[in-house]
Amino acid sequence: MQVLYFAWVRERIGLPREDVQSDAATVAELVEELRAREERYAAAFSDLSALRVALDQELSEFTDSLDGVREVAFFPPMTGG
Amino acid sequence: MSIRVQSDRFDPGAELNAFSAGVAGAGAVVSFSGLVRDVDGGLQAMEIEHYPGMTEKALARIRDEALARWALADVLIIHRYGAMAPGEVIMMVATASRHRKDAFEAADFLMDYLKSRAPFWKKERSSSGADWVTARDADEDALKRW
């Protein structure tokens, strides 16, 4: 699946998107896999309350299933308007 | 029922006139424009990042929700991304209805949802560095009144 990062999450991890091969069943499991990779991922995902997730461009929850999902995006709370 | 996401500047006065001309029978038009604010005099630039694809979907959903809740003749949403200077227009919404209450409430609703449900992120650049704007709890709380 494609994993996208925006705003300070993108800056902390150092890239805007990447292809991730994962068997994670939920967003939370995917986050655990990413955290275990490298320090920059652990830093970006250290506080999930400061993050939001979108699955196939729909705002979602960390407990949601990744079944059939092609695009996962992580970002801080939005500041539009 | 226009939604535009663009980096180019736009003239909110001209947009409002064109919008109003298209809804002449409506009777009431409300508009809101958001500008780059320079609170302490040190802001050099604002940069707005967004999530192409999701942004358009989120804005369409917010607009559709407004159309379902109020009797609106038309809705306009324009939101910029990219770099802008203090005082520049970031975004605008306009609503048209037969009576003013629908247009006022719908515009207020659109702004509350744009703030925390449309995937935009603001970064402020000043002489002391660059910082991402933090979402305020009050913005999230504002959604509860709808």
Side-chain angles (χ1 to χ4, degrees), chain A residues 53-80:
Chain A
V53 62
L55 301 179
D56 289 331
Q57 305 189 350
E58 299 280 348
L59 204 58
S60 303
E61 302 292 333
F62 284 89
T63 49
D64 285 351
S65 167
L66 290 176
D67 191 26
V69 170
R70 288 169 301 174
E71 188 171 293
V72 182
F74 294 104
F75 43 78
M78 296 161 266
T79 52

Side-chain angles (χ1 to χ4, degrees), chain A residues 30-38 41-42 45-48:
Chain A
L30 175 64
V31 167
E32 283 311 312
E33 289 184 11
L34 292 170
R35 269 180 181 153
R37 279 181 161 187
E38 287 177 49
Y41 287 92
F45 289 106
S46 62
D47 178 11
L48 290 192

Side-chain angles (χ1 to χ4, degrees), chain B residues 60-125:
Chain B
R61 173 169 301 176
I62 294 166
R63 175 203 57 194
D64 291 347
E65 180 71 21
L67 290 171
R69 294 172 70 153
W70 290 278
L72 301 173
D74 201 1
V75 174
L76 170 68
I77 302 173
I78 306 173
H79 204 303
R80 292 177 62 199
Y81 59 89
M84 41 206 101
E88 274 187 45
V89 178
I90 301 172
M91 53 77 58
M92 77 176 284
V93 301
T95 52
S97 61
R98 191 168 177 83
H99 303 290
R100 71 177 186 277
K101 192 160 179 283
D102 289 299
F104 267 120
E105 287 186 3
D108 204 11
F109 168 89
L110 289 171
M111 286 312 304
D112 277 347
Y113 272 82
L114 268 166
K115 276 221 162 289
S116 37
R117 289 293 181 273
F120 292 98
W121 300 275
K122 294 190 181 106
K123 190 178 201 180
E124 292 174 338
R125 197 173 295 281

